[in-house]
Amino acid sequence: MANILDQFSLKGKVALVTGAAYGIGYAIAKAYAEAGAKIAFNCRSQKHMDKALAAYQEDGIEAHGYICDVTKEDEVQKMVADIEKELGTIDILVNNAGIIKRIPMLEMKAEEFRQVVDIDLNAPFIVSKAVIPGMKKKGHGKIINICSMMSELGRETVSAYAAAKGGLKMLTRNICSEFGEYNIQCNGIGPGYIATPQTAPLRERQPDGSRHPFDSFIVSKTPAARWGTTEDLMGPAVFLASDASDFVNGHILYVDGGILAYIGKQPQ
Ligand code: NAP
Ligand code: GCO
């Protein structure tokens, strides 16, 4: 039996983290590099790509970047083929790329709903489908889908996002069911409220300098009494990508400071 800490090593593995130009994806890719993996990542914009490559270099990480829209199956198939040619078979896939549109349901256009579901749910299906054949051939693989509190809870203005993230929870369980026998484990990470560009509008200072009402609300709903940071996700992501989680399958690991366990403080 390997030394217990060696079980968390990603040495010699190839990891693809989608949407890892910044935010949660960047932190997960950084953690994987520190754990020994070779890093491939993608995003849509050349501007974000250039900034990301400079940031990875600054952090001493040799990251391989690919411009690819994860909703476009032909682009994804080409990206995976290029990665497999340049780095080898993908051992670890993190379906991280995602967007949110905060629009009251009755004001949301069907096209806007479809766009969120396309990126947050259809794309993880497309990318997983491109990567699984190589994992099957190699005899192992790890797929980690970045779910959300909204895989379990709803709230006003995020109907498309909650529908997509709820679906992503079940896609995670289905990939687990269909490919467990090939030694492929598929799990999810459900981050709580994390300080990234995606949630910046919810933390914006008010004109009078006071905190955004949603900021105060989330801190009151979180037993840890703070927003999460992308660093809070690094350890759980390494665990789910490593040999240490070989018998964990179909599980959504909520990294939320306790939000899902907490009914909330009684108003004073
Ligand atoms: P973010 O800061 O907005 O970053 C999103 C990343 O995805 C960017 O790199 C973006 O790059 C990329 N992306 C978006 N659409 C894409 C597409 N069609 N193809 C390829 N890349 C695409 O978001 P984040 O806060 O880091 O969130 C990352 C993931 O965690 C998302 O799935 C989000 O739903 C989930 N999540 C976030 C939180 C939170 O509180 N922040 C909590 C729970 C779950 P380009 O725009 O250049 O393509
Ligand atoms: C929102 C937030 C959340 C977070 C995250 C929580 O508007 O409610 O953006 O959805 O992004 O998904 O887990």
Side-chain angles (χ1 to χ4, degrees):
M1 178 82 158
N3 166 290
I4 190 70
L5 288 181
D6 293 344
Q7 288 189 34
F8 291 83
S9 167
L10 303 182
K11 264 197 198 72
K13 305 279 188 187
V14 174
L16 167 59
V17 184
T18 67
Y22 49 84
I24 288 172
Y26 184 92
I28 290 177
K30 185 162 179 272
Y32 286 2
E34 286 175 17
K38 283 190 264 184
I39 300 303
F41 76 100
N42 75 298
C43 62
R44 289 164 299 183
S45 109
Q46 189 59 52
K47 181 164 141 287
H48 292 163
M49 177 59 73
D50 296 343
K51 266 181 83 180
L53 288 171
Y56 280 113
Q57 195 175 25
E58 181 75 19
D59 283 338
I61 296 166
E62 188 204 326
H64 301 258
Y66 300 80
I67 294 289
C68 169
D69 181 335
V70 289
T71 64
K72 305 266 186 302
E73 188 153 33
D74 55 345
E75 290 185 27
V76 169
Q77 295 277 350
K78 180 178 182 315
M79 173 177 69
V80 169
D82 289 347
I83 294 170
E84 292 188 340
K85 208 165 37 226
E86 291 154 27
L87 300 176
T89 304
I90 294 166
D91 301 288
I92 302 160
L93 166 64
V94 180
N95 284 306
N96 166 77
I99 65 165
I100 192 167
K101 287 183 184 298
R102 301 182 183 97
I103 304 168
M105 187 169 152
L106 297 186
E107 296 163 31
M108 182 177 251
K109 297 185 184 70
E111 187 42 42
E112 291 168 320
F113 188 97
R114 267 194 289 270
Q115 194 199 358
V116 174
V117 172
D118 208 16
I119 295 172
D120 294 4
L121 178 57
N122 297 345
F125 163 77
I126 288 169
V127 184
S128 302
K129 214 177 94 177
V131 169
I132 285 170
M135 290 178 169
K136 276 179 72 174
K137 224 178 278 158
K138 202 164 180 183
H140 69 242
K142 298 281 187 181
I143 297 175
I144 295 136
N145 294 322
I146 306 300
C147 297
S148 160
M149 295 285 91
M150 277 53 217
S151 298
E152 302 294 344
L153 303 169
R155 83 175 184 85
E156 300 78 8
T157 76
V158 296
S159 58
Y161 184 82
K165 293 297 187 180
L168 186 57
K169 172 174 73 171
M170 287 317 299
L171 177 63
T172 301
R173 292 185 177 152
N174 216 73
I175 293 173
C176 146
S177 309
E178 199 160 339
F179 299 102
E181 65 181 288
Y182 302 102
N183 191 26
I184 295 170
Q185 291 84 48
C186 182
N187 292 288
I189 288 179
Y193 280 80
I194 311 293
T196 71
Q198 191 244 52
T199 55
L202 305 175
R203 289 174 283 109
E204 242 156 43
R205 284 280 164 184
Q206 302 301 284
D208 65 2
S210 63
R211 292 170 66 170
H212 192 295
F214 195 89
D215 177 359
S216 313
F217 166 68
I218 280 301
V219 170
S220 76
K221 287 289 281 180
T222 308
R226 67 173 174 87
W227 282 75
T229 65
T230 56
E231 288 71 23
D232 288 319
L233 299 167
M234 292 167 90
V238 168
F239 165 62
L240 288 178
S242 72
D243 298 348
S245 61
D246 279 357
F247 204 53
V248 179
N249 209 356
H251 182 72
I252 312 297
L253 177 57
Y254 287 100
V255 186
D256 66 354
I259 296 180
L260 283 180
Y262 186 38
I263 195 168
K265 209 184 285 296
Q266 180 187 342
Q268 303 304 327

